[in-house]
């Protein structure tokens, strides 16, 4: 239809432009540039598809459930949303029905679970209105924003960046992506996390302070959103520590559970 035709033309003109750029570069240098080594593209499998989802950026919102904001020591009613990023290769893929070994990270003595709904985008834009924001979502996954809480707090206390507490290797476990066309959008439903079979976190997605649509809209005012961007949409209250040997099981109504063993 109209839209797909327009897509084809847009893609064709992009290909044309990049071919032109590399042609003139080649002519000038007499040789095509070659990467020193391969850097793998991080991808996430898509349920029911032979395609995979290429990850461009990982955004995370902080303190997005009221009771969790309180337990982190802030007043959620007065705070605008804030975001941080994890490196793309922090992704640890967890297949459906498997318990994946998750390495306990270095440096921390207080390693925390944060169960979260993850929205993944297949369209980009700037200043996206809230009413249109869900049109940019390709699908959803269940994920964990694993956190070296002691390091995060220590850096926060010193007004230094959080990276060491949030943005480390394997800190973003995630299940496969479920396309919106098959599963719809997630505006409410139970979200919980068990450690060794005992419920630790339990809430409803409807308790988010900033909805997924609002998060996309807010992010797009600060950054140009692009296809491949994914958003960890915040964790409910009762985050807590895990130790080596613990098994984590996470749940969101409508998605298969995610399971990890800390090793
Ligand atoms: Mn989080």
């Amino acid at each position: 239809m109209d839209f797909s035709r327009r897509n084809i033309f847009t893609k064709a003109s992009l290909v044309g432009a990049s071919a032109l750029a590399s042609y003139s570069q080649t002519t000038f240098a007499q040789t095509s540039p070659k990467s020193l080594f391969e850097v793998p593209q991080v991808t996430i499998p898509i349920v029911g598809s032979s395609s995979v989802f290429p990850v461009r950026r990982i955004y995370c919102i902080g303190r997005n459930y009221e009771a969790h904001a309180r337990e982190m020591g802030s007043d959620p009613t007065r705070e605008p949303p804030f975001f941080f990023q994890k490196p793309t290769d922090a992704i640890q893929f967890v297949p459906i029905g498997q318990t994946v070994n998750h390495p306990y990270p270095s440096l921390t003595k207080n390693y925390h679970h944060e169960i979260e709904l993850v929205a993944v985008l297949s369209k980009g834009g700037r200043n996206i209105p809230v009413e249109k924001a869900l049109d940019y979502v390709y699908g959803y996954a269940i994920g964990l924003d694993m956190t070296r809480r002691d390091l995060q707090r220590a850096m926060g206390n010193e007004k230094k960046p959080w990276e060491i507490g949030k943005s480390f290797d394997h800190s973003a476990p995630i299940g496969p992506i479920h396309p919106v066309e098959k599963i719809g959008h997630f505006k409410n439903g139970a979200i919980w996390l068990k450690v060794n079979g005992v419920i630790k976190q339990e809430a409803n997605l409807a308790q988010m302070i900033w909805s997924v649509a609002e998060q996309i809209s807010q992010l797009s005012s600060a950054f140009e959103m692009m296809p491949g961007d994914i958003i960890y949409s915040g964790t409910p209250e009762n985050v807590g520590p895990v130790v080596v040997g613990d098994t984590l099981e996470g749940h969101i109504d409508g998605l298969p559970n995610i399971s990890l063993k800390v090793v």
Side-chain angles (χ1 to χ4, degrees), residues 60-61 84 114 116 145 147 166 234-235:
C60 307
I61 189 169
F84 58 94
E114 295 192 2
E116 309 202 0
D145 165 18
T147 303
K166 282 290 193 182
T235 199

Side-chain angles (χ1 to χ4, degrees), residues 22 57 79 91 103 192 212:
S22 68
R57 287 186 183 171
E79 283 194 351
I91 291 284
W192 55 250
V212 168

Side-chain angles (χ1 to χ4, degrees), residues 61-66 69 75-83 117 130 134 186-187 204-219 231-235:
I61 189 169
R63 296 172 196 167
N64 195 35
Y65 289 76
E66 196 172 322
D75 177 355
T77 58
R78 284 188 298 168
E79 283 194 351
F82 68 94
F83 300 90
L117 175 69
V130 174
L134 290 184
F186 287 72
K187 293 175 180 172
N204 193 291
L205 297 173
Q207 292 170 302
M208 285 184 192
I209 297 170
W210 301 91
S211 68
V212 168
E214 288 170 325
Q215 293 178 49
I216 293 166
S217 180
Q218 290 271 347
L219 275 167
I231 305 167
Y232 279 65
S233 64
T235 199

Side-chain angles (χ1 to χ4, degrees), residues 80-250:
F82 68 94
F83 300 90
F84 58 94
Q85 288 187 42
K86 289 177 185 267
T88 302
D89 65 356
I91 291 284
Q92 180 183 29
F93 177 63
V94 181
I96 295 172
Q98 289 186 32
T99 300
V100 164
N101 284 340
H102 177 79
Y104 193 96
S106 61
L107 302 181
T108 184
K109 293 189 169 60
N110 194 19
Y111 189 41
H112 276 203
H113 54 76
E114 295 192 2
I115 184 72
E116 309 202 0
L117 175 69
V118 184
V120 311
L121 308 190
S122 57
K123 284 170 56 179
R126 290 193 174 103
N127 299 316
I128 300 165
V130 174
E131 317 82 66
K132 296 232 170 85
L134 290 184
D135 296 346
Y136 292 70
V137 177
Y138 173 79
Y140 294 90
I142 186 170
L144 286 151
D145 165 18
M146 297 303 291
T147 303
R148 298 195 277 209
R149 190 73 68 201
D150 43 356
L151 303 187
Q152 180 201 18
R153 287 211 173 108
M155 296 303 271
N157 290 343
E158 296 178 24
K159 300 196 181 340
K160 289 175 179 168
W162 271 4
E163 258 83 357
I164 202 164
K166 282 290 193 182
S167 309
F168 51 92
D169 302 342
H170 309 292
S171 63
I174 194 166
I177 290 166
H178 299 256
V180 167
E181 62 189 26
K182 299 219 176 92
I183 209 156
H185 289 285
F186 287 72
K187 293 175 180 172
N188 59 60
I191 177 170
W192 55 250
L193 181 101
K194 290 179 183 174
V195 178
N196 301 327
V198 178
I199 287 270
K200 297 292 183 181
Q201 296 184 267
E202 190 173 24
N204 193 291
L205 297 173
Q207 292 170 302
M208 285 184 192
I209 297 170
W210 301 91
S211 68
V212 168
E214 288 170 325
Q215 293 178 49
I216 293 166
S217 180
Q218 290 271 347
L219 275 167
S220 73
S221 70
F223 310 98
E224 180 175 4
M225 305 306 287
M226 299 286 279
D229 289 346
I230 76 174
I231 305 167
Y232 279 65
S233 64
T235 199
E237 64 275 20
N238 298 322
V239 297
V242 295
V243 296
V244 170
D246 282 350
T247 300
L248 312 187
E249 185 183 10

